Amino acid sequence: MKFNTKTIHGGQKYEEATGAVMPPIFQTSTYAQSSPGIHKGYEYSRGKNPTRTALENAFAAIENGTHGFAFASGLAAIDCVLRTLNLGDEVIAGDDLYGGTYRMFTRLFQKYGLKFQFVDMNNVENVTNAITSDTKLIWIETPTNPLMKIADIEEINKAVKAKDATILIAVDNTFATPYLQRPLDLGVDIVMHSATKYLGGHSDLVMGALMVKDEKLANDLHFIQFAAGAIAGPMDSFLALRGVKTLHIRMQRHCENGRAVAEYLVNHPKIGDVYYPGLENHPNHKIAKKQMDDFGGMVSFRLKDESKEATFKFLENTKIFTLAESLGGVESLVNHPVTMTHASIPESERLKIGITDSLIRLSVGIEDIDYLLADLEQALNK
Ligand SMILES: *Cc1c(COP(=O)(O)O)cnc(C)c1O
C-alpha cells in the first residue's frame, strides 16, 4: 500500500458489530468472560483495548513495522525501550537530544546502573569508536531537536551491526515522521515517536509510540508496556488515530511552509544562523537529501543581534506564532529552547553544542504562508 493510502487504511477495518468506519472509543477497563479464561481477546485494558489496538495497527503500518505500541507520552515510550536493558548495559546516544530524553537517561536510569555516552552522530565513526562490550543500544535522534543535526541512519546501522549484530538501534523519528523517513526500512530495530507532535498533529494530546518489525522484540516491549503500565487511554487513542489519517497532507504543507520560512530567514538582514536541513549550506544537507523525502516544518535560527533582550523582544512579539513548548501541530509555534524545551540540560552541556540564549525554534504550521512571513517580519521590526 502506498503511503497516502496507508495513513488512512493501514491496519484498519470497520468495526464488526455495527460497521462503524472509525473505531468507537471503548471507554472500558474490563471485558466480560463467558467462563474463566474464555474471552474475545480482551481481558483488561492495560493489556489491550480495541481503540488502542486500532491505533497501534495504524502506527505499525505507517512505519512499515509489524507491531506498534501506544504509550501515555513520548517519554513513556522511551522508558519502555530502556527497560529492555540490564544492570551495567551501555547506551550510546546523540549529543543533541530532546531535553527530556537526556534528563531520563542521566537522572532516572543512570542511578539504576545503566551507562550512557553522548556523541556527535554527524560522524559515523564517533558512534562505532564509542562501542564497548557493554553497548546494547544506540539511540539516534534525527533531525535533532533543536539544532536540526542529521545522522546517517543507514550508515550508522550498517557500521554498528558489522561490529556487533546484537546491539539494538532505535530512532526517535518525531521530527521527520514516516512521511519523510522510514528508519525500519533502513535496517534499525525500533522507531519511537512523541505522537504528541506530528502524528497526533493537533496539539490536543500527549502520547508516545514504538514501532518494530521483529516478533521477539515486539513481545518484550508488549510485556513491559503491560507490566509497567504507561499505556495510552482510549480517548487519546481515538484522537491520535484521527490525526494519523491526515499525516501526509499536513506534512506536505508543513514542508512547503517550513522551506519558505527558512528561505525567508536566510535572506533577511536581521537574521544570523539558520538551521534547516533543506538549505544547501546545511552541513548535513547531502545526508538529509538521501534519507528524507523532504525536510519538514522545524526551523531554528538566531538573530544577528544575539543579545537576550533582542531575542526576547522577538519572542514576545509574534502573533500567529504562539510562544509555547511543543511542536508538530497544525498551528505555528515559536519556542525558546534554553528556557523552555531544553531547560533540563545542564548549562555547560547546552553551551558546548550551541543551545544558547539566542537560539529560537519555530514549528511552522499549516496556515497561509504570507500571513506567517508577515508575522515574522512585524516581530523582527519591533
Ligand atoms: C516531545 C519530544 C519527546 C518527548 O515526548 P512527550 O510526548 O513530550 O513525552 C521526545 N523526543 C522528541 C524529539 C520530542 O520532540
Side-chain angles (χ1 to χ4, degrees), residues 73-75 78 98 101 141 145 172 174-175 192 194 196-197 206-207 327:
S73 69
L75 288 182
I78 300 173
Y98 172 70
T101 308
E141 197 180 299
N145 180 1
D172 182 337
T174 299
F175 267 38
M192 172 264 156
S194 170
T196 312
K197 318 293 169 55
V206 174
M207 185 185 286
L327 61 106

Side-chain angles (χ1 to χ4, degrees), residues 163-192:
K163 224 169 158 175
D164 181 348
T166 66
I167 297 175
L168 286 180
I169 303 189
V171 173
D172 182 337
N173 206 26
T174 299
F175 267 38
T177 84
Y179 179 78
L180 299 179
Q181 84 191 357
R182 290 154 302 276
L184 294 180
D185 290 354
L186 300 176
V188 312
D189 305 283
I190 303 173
V191 168
M192 172 264 156

Side-chain angles (χ1 to χ4, degrees), residues 72-141:
S73 69
L75 288 182
I78 300 173
D79 176 87
C80 178
V81 175
L82 289 188
R83 284 172 195 267
T84 62
L85 302 176
N86 295 304
L87 186 71
D89 286 353
E90 180 179 69
V91 181
I92 299 172
D95 65 356
D96 176 29
L97 293 179
Y98 172 70
T101 308
Y102 179 86
R103 180 177 54 204
M104 173 181 289
F105 288 1
T106 54
R107 294 189 48 198
L108 288 183
F109 280 99
Q110 215 154 251
K111 70 178 180 201
Y112 295 121
L114 293 187
K115 296 182 287 188
F116 296 89
Q117 289 192 67
F118 300 94
V119 304
D120 182 351
M121 292 204 170
N122 276 205
N123 187 340
V124 178
E125 278 176 10
N126 291 344
V127 182
T128 47
N129 289 342
I131 292 175
T132 70
S133 56
D134 291 333
T135 306
K136 292 290 183 294
L137 174 69
I138 311 285
W139 190 267
I140 303 173
E141 197 180 299

Side-chain angles (χ1 to χ4, degrees), residues 148 174-177 179-180 196-203 243 246-263 276-278 292 294-299 321 326-333 362-369 372-373:
M148 309 301 295
T174 299
F175 267 38
T177 84
Y179 179 78
L180 299 179
T196 312
K197 318 293 169 55
Y198 287 108
L199 298 191
H202 296 75
S203 306
T246 56
L247 176 66
H248 52 294
I249 197 158
R250 286 184 287 108
M251 285 308 291
Q252 186 181 353
R253 182 65 64 84
H254 281 298
C255 291
E256 280 170 27
N257 285 358
R259 182 183 303 105
V261 165
E263 278 165 8
Y276 185 68
M292 300 169 73
D294 205 336
F295 305 103
M298 297 301 298
V299 185
F321 282 87
S326 202
L327 61 106
V330 290
E331 63 286 294
S332 291
L333 300 179
L362 300 177
S363 172
V364 182
I366 63 172
E367 301 95 333
D368 294 296
I369 187 61
L372 296 181
L373 297 183

Side-chain angles (χ1 to χ4, degrees), residues 35-50:
S35 175
I38 308 297
H39 52 75
K40 300 184 164 143
Y42 292 89
E43 297 162 83
Y44 184 64
S45 283
R46 177 158 29 72
K48 255 170 104 182
N49 172 285

